[in-house]
Structure formats: C-alpha cells, structure tokens
Amino acid sequence: MTNHPCSMGRTELATRYFPHIQPQTAWQKLRGLLAEVPDLAPLTQLKRRTFLPAEVNIIYQHLGQP
C-alpha cells in the first residue's frame, strides 16, 4: 500500500519533522529548510497555513518523510 500525502497544516508538518520543540519554533526551522531548496522556497511565501497534498509530496521528495 502506498502512502499518499494529504493536506496538512504547516505547523503540523513542522512538528512531525521537529517533534521535540515548540510548534512555532518547529515551523521556523522547517521554513528555513524550505528556503534553502530552490524548488521549495516558494512554499515559504504562501499566505495560507496549509500545504496541499502535492506540496506535501514535493517536501517529502526533497527532505524525506519525517
């Protein structure tokens, strides 16, 4: 069975990558990682607080699944 990503709040996703720090700090760290990858940098400029399934997928492709 394949694991297809679903929509996910940016803080929720960040806390999956950094589970041992505060959610807002986790988002700041994830945002910093995204900004370093040209394909992911535009995701840091989104006005919404949720990543679409395709966006979660591309994050997983570049950073690996948390």
Side-chain angles (χ1 to χ4, degrees), residues 44-62:
T44 65
Q45 303 302 315
L46 297 175
K47 299 296 182 200
R48 57 185 150 77
R49 295 177 179 255
T50 303
F51 291 121
L52 301 175
E55 294 164 342
V56 174
N57 191 44
I58 195 168
I59 292 169
Y60 286 175
Q61 287 175 8
H62 285 276

Side-chain angles (χ1 to χ4, degrees), residues 3-4 13 16 22 29 31 37 39 42 46-47 60:
N3 185 9
H4 297 290
L13 181 60
R16 289 184 181 200
Q22 292 295 317
K29 279 186 79 139
R31 186 175 59 203
V37 180
D39 288 345
L46 297 175
K47 299 296 182 200
Y60 286 175

Side-chain angles (χ1 to χ4, degrees), residues 6-55:
C6 57
S7 295
M8 191 175 306
R10 64 186 189 188
T11 304
E12 178 186 356
L13 181 60
T15 58
R16 289 184 181 200
Y17 280 101
F18 305 104
H20 301 294
I21 60 177
Q22 292 295 317
Q24 187 60 32
T25 305
W27 165 238
Q28 290 170 356
K29 279 186 79 139
L30 180 59
R31 186 175 59 203
L33 287 177
L34 297 176
E36 293 175 7
V37 180
D39 288 345
L40 302 179
L43 298 176
T44 65
Q45 303 302 315
L46 297 175
K47 299 296 182 200
R48 57 185 150 77
R49 295 177 179 255
T50 303
F51 291 121
L52 301 175
E55 294 164 342

